[in-house]
Amino acid sequence: MGVKGFSTSAVAAGIRYADRLDLGLIFSDTPAVTAGVFTTNQIKAAPVLIDVERLKQGRAQAILVNSGCANACTGEQGMENARHAGMLVSQALNIQDVLVQLASTGVIGEQLNVTAIENSVDQLVAGLSPDNFEQVARAIMTTDTVPKTVCRTINIGGKDVNIAGMAKGSGMIMPNMATMLAFVLTDVQISFPELHAALVSGVASTFNRITVDGDTSTNDMALVMANGCAGNPWIDEDAPQQDRQLFRDTLEEVLKELALMIVTDGEGATKTITIRVCGAKENEEAERLARTIANSSLVKTAFFGEDANWGRIIAAMGRSGVRFNPDKVDIAFNDVLIVKNGQGLGKEAESAATRVLKEKNFAVCVDLKDGAGCEEIYTCDFSVDYVKINANYRS
């Protein structure tokens, strides 16, 4: 992992399944400047409610995360279970309770198996090491098929600054905020306002631009911990603009790579698609159009079937709530134009577009020719396996 001052650990606690990594711990040697962005779902899991309150201080030293149980819709008992799990870790680490962030993912409506956590905390803490980052990424997986991790190193003021991120997410994926868990660790020396602004900005253009199925979870969060161990000149409002921008750009790069990994690993997904809408009056309108296309089940099933059915795309646009002139719309798959001024270009164009749809990654490009607004949303196809995975999720 290579981020100074951080150690990680993961164990198979048996929270839901036997012999499967399901409990992870991230620990900073010193309290770290910490920023978070959380789900906007009206239903928020117990760990989310606790974290939002604790993060008002802008500091954390540990993250305890479990899979197998979301601890959402569990009432006061769920809150008590979350606090108790955090207390077990804080006592074992000899730090304050309020410095422990909590995260859970899994089935909604079931109480957290606190006994399993109690029985595993000593092993979890004893296993803390700089080398277990990948194991924690595995411990947070639910229907994910692969762990998702990204690392970067940059130079600020002559000091190497490391950034390492992990994420989980495969289904129930659509912002706002990002529908997933993401944890980013960095040894950069940075003020809370700068870190928070960088995270919010980064999430807006990455995690908030992805969708697998249009469902926003109860447990989503992205946390960034910065412990300052790199010893770089402080990044704050008085720092050189190039240093501030370099950190922001690199954090966004890490978040985007993680976001695209989530889409690529979408439940049952076989293709990753960029929906790009340009020529709108405003960026907001372009985003709404792109998101409507990206979330259309009929569009996504056509992608899976490798059917260049552009009628489904323009029909989805028509119900987006955005006013546009359909007689000016162009649609292309990659660089293959299939619709010109609202009219299909015939069988030859459709055949060429179908060849594009056979690729694993491609773009749908829509031009409204009505302004400078342009936005991208990242999505995947909708396969038979998506239905099978979610029909059997609790069994």
Side-chain angles (χ1 to χ4, degrees):
M1 180 183 64
V3 181
K4 297 173 189 171
F6 284 101
S7 53
T8 50
S9 177
V11 298
I15 290 170
R16 184 173 181 83
Y17 304 105
D19 303 319
R20 173 174 166 175
L21 290 174
D22 58 3
L23 189 64
L25 179 63
I26 296 168
F27 178 62
S28 174
D29 294 343
T30 57
V33 176
T34 304
V37 181
F38 299 90
T39 182
T40 56
N41 195 312
Q42 188 172 311
I43 309 299
K44 292 177 173 59
V48 171
L49 294 171
I50 292 169
D51 289 355
V52 169
E53 187 63 31
R54 289 181 176 180
L55 264 194
K56 288 179 179 178
Q57 63 181 344
R59 294 286 188 280
Q61 197 165 354
I63 301 171
L64 177 69
V65 55
N66 73 272
S67 59
C69 174
N71 195 7
C73 302
T74 48
E76 186 51 44
Q77 183 63 53
M79 294 289 286
E80 179 55 36
N81 288 341
R83 291 191 193 98
H84 183 59
M87 182 192 69
L88 291 169
V89 167
S90 67
Q91 290 179 344
L93 294 171
N94 195 27
I95 63 174
Q96 293 178 285
D97 283 359
V98 292
L99 291 175
V100 179
Q101 289 283 284
L102 303 164
S104 297
T105 182
V107 176
I108 293 170
E110 295 183 2
Q111 293 292 346
L112 184 62
N113 186 345
V114 179
T115 301
I117 296 175
E118 286 177 343
N119 294 337
S120 303
V121 163
D122 288 345
Q123 180 189 354
L124 187 67
V125 171
L128 283 169
S129 161
D131 304 320
N132 292 331
F133 195 75
E134 188 85 6
Q135 282 89 326
V136 178
R138 290 185 178 278
I140 63 178
M141 292 165 58
T142 50
T143 57
D144 306 61
T145 64
V146 293
K148 303 167 180 68
T149 60
V150 177
C151 297
R152 291 285 187 280
T153 300
I154 54 178
N155 190 280
I156 297 177
K159 300 288 186 178
D160 281 345
V161 169
N162 303 288
I163 304 174
M166 70 174 73
K168 68 81 51 181
S170 187
M172 202 179 274
I173 299 293
M174 204 199 57
N176 275 309
M177 197 288 286
T179 316
M180 26 113 286
L181 301 180
F183 309 121
V184 178
L185 313 180
T186 176
D187 44 26
V188 73
Q189 196 161 231
I190 192 170
S191 69
F192 174 77
E194 279 294 318
L195 185 65
H196 186 261
L199 176 61
V200 170
S201 171
V203 163
S205 58
T206 60
F207 290 136
N208 278 0
R209 292 292 183 271
I210 63 174
T211 178
V212 168
D213 46 23
D215 274 298
T216 297
S217 165
T218 54
N219 290 57
D220 317 336
M221 67 175 70
L223 297 174
V224 182
M225 299 178 74
N227 63 12
C229 288
N232 59 282
W234 269 93
I235 296 180
D236 54 22
E237 61 181 3
D238 297 322
Q241 180 59 31
Q242 63 188 39
D243 289 350
R244 298 167 70 192
Q245 198 60 48
L246 176 59
F247 178 77
R248 282 196 178 204
D249 290 347
T250 308
L251 178 61
E252 182 175 331
E253 196 178 295
V254 167
L255 298 179
K256 185 170 184 178
E257 193 166 334
L258 290 170
L260 291 176
M261 285 179 178
I262 289 173
V263 173
T264 301
D265 194 33
E267 289 173 345
T270 68
K271 302 177 190 301
T272 305
I273 304 108
T274 299
I275 310 292
R276 182 180 302 115
V277 175
C278 292
K281 291 186 181 71
E282 307 286 346
N283 284 351
E284 183 182 354
E285 292 188 348
E287 182 192 336
R288 191 185 309 174
L289 282 160
R291 198 178 292 281
T292 306
I293 296 167
N295 280 325
S296 166
S297 295
L298 288 176
V299 170
K300 288 158 70 70
T301 50
F303 291 153
F304 175 66
E306 298 173 351
D307 176 11
N309 190 341
W310 59 268
R312 292 183 177 182
I313 294 172
I314 203 162
M317 293 168 59
R319 65 176 170 80
S320 66
V322 175
R323 298 187 66 83
F324 62 92
N325 184 349
D327 295 331
K328 293 169 67 174
V329 173
D330 291 354
I331 301 174
F333 293 153
N334 284 350
D335 57 356
V336 176
L337 193 64
I338 191 172
V339 174
K340 181 73 173 175
N341 293 326
Q343 300 290 308
L345 294 180
K347 295 295 183 185
E348 190 173 332
E350 286 198 15
S351 295
T354 298
R355 288 194 289 273
V356 172
L357 293 184
K358 293 184 182 298
E359 299 176 14
K360 293 291 186 186
N361 299 276
F362 58 87
V364 175
C365 306
V366 177
D367 188 356
L368 304 179
K369 292 179 282 192
D370 197 26
C374 191
E375 288 286 356
E376 291 183 349
I377 296 289
Y378 309 100
T379 189
C380 58
D381 59 344
F382 195 167
S383 74
V384 175
D385 285 342
Y386 178 86
V387 178
K388 290 180 179 177
I389 290 166
N390 285 287
N392 299 313
Y393 181 59
R394 295 203 304 169
S395 57

